[in-house]
Amino acid sequence: MITKEELMKIQILHQQGRSQRAIAKELGISRNTVKRYLNPQIDRPIYPKRETKHSILDTFKPFLHSRIAQANPIHLSAVVLLREIKALGYKGSLSLLRQYLHQYRGSKPSPEVVRFETEVGQQMQVDWGQMRGGKHPIHAFIAVLGYSRAMYVVFTDNMRYDTMESCHRQCFDYFQGIPQEVWYDNMKTVVIERDAYGEGHHKLHQSFYQFAKSMNFIPKLCRPYRPQTKGKVERMVRYVRDDFYRPLSTQLSSFKQTLDLETANHEVKIWLENVAHQRIHDTTKEKPADRLKEERSSLQSLPPITTPVVDQLPKAGELPSVYVQYQEPLHHNLSVYDQLVEAV
């Protein structure tokens, strides 16, 4: 039995050129299962009907649940709980109890440590950062390629799904390709329910699920704020805030001007090209711009038939707010920023 997300992985890995044997090995399933689900006519898992089986533990599960909750955060061992439910009439084995407790509590493996360095073209990490300082919060969509450390930034006034998808499309256009995997944490526009089908098997947002399939990348979920798995982009959130957003917003405030979305998105592209991608990265000891040239050749090609995002936008008045419409001119002319640079 596989989940809907595993079906997506089978089809995407096949499109990426993996053999049936390699896919089966990576996902821990049989080659026959892989072969079955490579049929393009199958768009959802096929689940055989199973009879519900009753366990001799069923009668004692309510007691176990309340006992574990009452003792929290103290961990009660299976041996202790066995002794207590035996007094209530349990006749089963310790191994059966341990198997159930393992399932109920969830496995606790040693923390997964993903190597900081990833293969060229393999991974991208995505996160949102909130930039404070104005009357209304401004959100920063930040994506970082794992190998080159090149990144892309879009400032928005919301984190809705349509905004996130638009940011992804702009990002892939900027990088001139699509990585094999994209890592996220608990974004509601990505994952609806973590571990919905068991440990590590999540229920993805339906629109995002279709988008990932169409763009041919596999979404990966990690625990929030884990530097082992998504540290690259979390560091870049601070970098964008401290090296770009705060300096620019405070400089503009000295002119009694406020940094708005249009100006932020205009200036951040210049900052990426002239500052962020030209610095010598502390870990790679190379410029992200130089490594990006190498990584672009290993990224997956963009879909052969694509419609520019701007052509997909609704009519005026219905635009996703990442494309802010201004009824009046900018709060200030962009030449103000040039004056600030000259003054430094």
Side-chain angles (χ1 to χ4, degrees), residues 101 187 235 259:
L101 292 176
M187 293 183 192
R235 277 189 290 274
L259 179 57

Side-chain angles (χ1 to χ4, degrees), residues 10-276:
I10 290 173
Q11 296 176 347
I12 289 180
L13 289 172
H14 179 67
Q15 293 174 24
Q16 292 178 355
R18 306 282 186 89
S19 67
Q20 294 182 20
R21 182 188 298 274
I23 296 173
K25 183 177 180 181
E26 179 170 337
L27 300 182
I29 57 180
S30 69
R31 292 177 63 188
N32 287 337
T33 300
V34 173
K35 183 177 180 180
R36 178 194 309 166
Y37 287 110
L38 285 178
N39 184 341
Q41 301 301 320
I42 300 178
D43 61 355
R44 63 184 59 201
I46 302 172
Y47 301 127
K49 294 183 179 180
R50 295 183 180 181
E51 295 182 1
T52 302
K53 296 182 178 180
H54 297 283
S55 168
I56 59 175
L57 261 176
D58 288 347
T59 304
F60 305 96
K61 286 178 181 178
F63 171 81
L64 291 171
H65 298 170
S66 61
R67 187 73 177 90
I68 291 171
Q70 178 269 328
N72 188 57
I74 298 173
H75 179 88
L76 297 179
S77 69
V79 173
V80 171
L81 293 172
L82 176 66
R83 184 169 62 245
E84 294 186 4
I85 61 175
K86 271 191 171 182
L88 299 176
Y90 176 66
K91 304 296 183 182
S93 65
L94 175 62
S95 61
L96 178 61
L97 175 60
R98 278 180 169 157
Q99 182 180 8
Y100 175 71
L101 292 176
H102 180 77
Q103 176 186 358
Y104 177 71
R105 287 170 165 163
S107 57
K108 296 182 178 179
S110 56
E112 178 184 3
V113 177
V114 178
R115 290 184 60 186
F116 189 81
E117 295 302 318
T118 56
E119 295 294 328
V120 60
Q122 177 186 348
Q123 182 193 106
M124 184 175 83
Q125 299 180 3
V126 170
D127 206 355
W128 288 99
Q130 186 170 356
M131 306 290 144
R132 302 181 182 275
K135 294 182 180 179
H136 304 286
I138 292 181
H139 307 282
F141 170 92
I142 301 176
V144 181
L145 289 175
Y147 174 79
S148 64
R149 305 307 202 277
M151 63 177 169
Y152 188 73
V153 181
V154 182
F155 292 98
T156 77
D157 65 355
N158 72 83
M159 297 184 290
R160 294 195 308 263
Y161 174 76
D162 54 353
T163 299
M164 186 194 71
E165 182 175 318
S166 295
C167 292
H168 274 76
R169 292 182 183 275
Q170 294 178 62
C171 171
F172 294 146
D173 286 341
Y174 178 80
F175 289 142
Q176 299 176 20
I178 303 172
Q180 296 179 29
E181 303 170 355
V182 183
W183 285 75
Y184 308 86
D185 49 30
N186 269 338
M187 293 183 192
K188 292 182 180 180
T189 49
V190 171
V191 57
I192 296 175
E193 184 179 356
R194 298 187 74 102
D195 303 327
Y197 310 109
E199 182 70 17
H201 301 287
H202 316 291
K203 184 176 182 181
L204 298 178
H205 186 288
Q206 183 60 32
S207 297
F208 178 78
Y209 172 87
Q210 295 298 336
F211 174 67
K213 286 184 66 175
S214 68
M215 302 303 284
N216 207 33
F217 69 86
I218 294 178
K220 293 279 190 176
L221 301 181
C222 63
R223 299 297 174 187
Y225 307 111
R226 288 191 63 186
Q228 300 96 329
T229 53
K230 207 162 64 67
K232 297 182 184 74
V233 71
E234 290 177 356
R235 277 189 290 274
M236 290 303 99
V237 170
R238 296 193 296 270
Y239 179 53
V240 170
R241 180 193 62 204
D242 296 341
D243 197 87
F244 169 76
Y245 189 85
R246 285 180 174 173
L248 179 55
S249 62
T250 53
Q251 287 175 341
L252 288 174
S253 66
S254 67
F255 285 79
K256 297 183 179 181
Q257 303 288 347
T258 302
L259 179 57
D260 55 82
L261 284 177
E262 190 171 9
T263 304
N265 282 317
H266 177 273
E267 295 299 333
V268 76
K269 292 179 175 61
I270 299 173
W271 176 80
L272 286 172
E273 294 298 321
N274 297 336
V275 180

